Amino acid sequence: MLTCTVKFCGGCNPRYDRGEAYRTIVSAVSDIASFSLPQDGRHYDVLLIIRGCTACPYLYEEIDADHRILCVAEDQIKQAADSIRALV
């Protein structure tokens, strides 16, 4: 089972429902991945970064993760889930 965490951008310019995107991705990969809130000092297989637009460049480098998967638009939700699934 992949260990995953998530970070959301600040939400200054959201163009889609980021919470719904997260719920959709988690549901799509629930058989191969477990999600938790980020914890200091913990290593993750995947950091899912859900942004509301394409303007924010921040990748949360302080979080230790083997893979960073970005979702910046509603049409990237399935691609993000597929990217997580491709890791197993």
Side-chain angles (χ1 to χ4, degrees):
M1 176 96 34
L2 294 170
T3 58
C4 306
T5 191
V6 64
K7 287 298 282 186
F8 291 85
C9 69
C12 64
N13 193 19
R15 297 185 175 147
Y16 64 106
D17 185 337
R18 294 170 300 137
E20 183 60 30
Y22 174 67
R23 289 185 290 277
T24 299
I25 293 167
V26 169
S27 176
V29 299
S30 63
D31 60 325
I32 59 147
S34 64
F35 280 81
S36 64
L37 295 176
Q39 298 173 359
D40 289 340
R42 183 165 176 200
H43 172 81
Y44 297 93
D45 296 313
V46 176
L47 168 57
L48 174 63
I49 301 170
I50 300 181
R51 297 180 181 158
C53 66
T54 59
C56 180
Y58 194 46
L59 292 176
Y60 302 95
E61 289 88 358
E62 71 278 7
I63 296 175
D64 182 20
D66 292 331
H67 304 278
R68 282 172 165 64
I69 296 176
L70 299 173
C71 182
V72 300
E74 190 169 17
D75 64 355
Q76 293 183 350
I77 295 170
K78 182 182 181 316
Q79 178 183 350
D82 290 346
S83 294
I84 295 170
R85 189 164 288 289
L87 296 173
V88 293

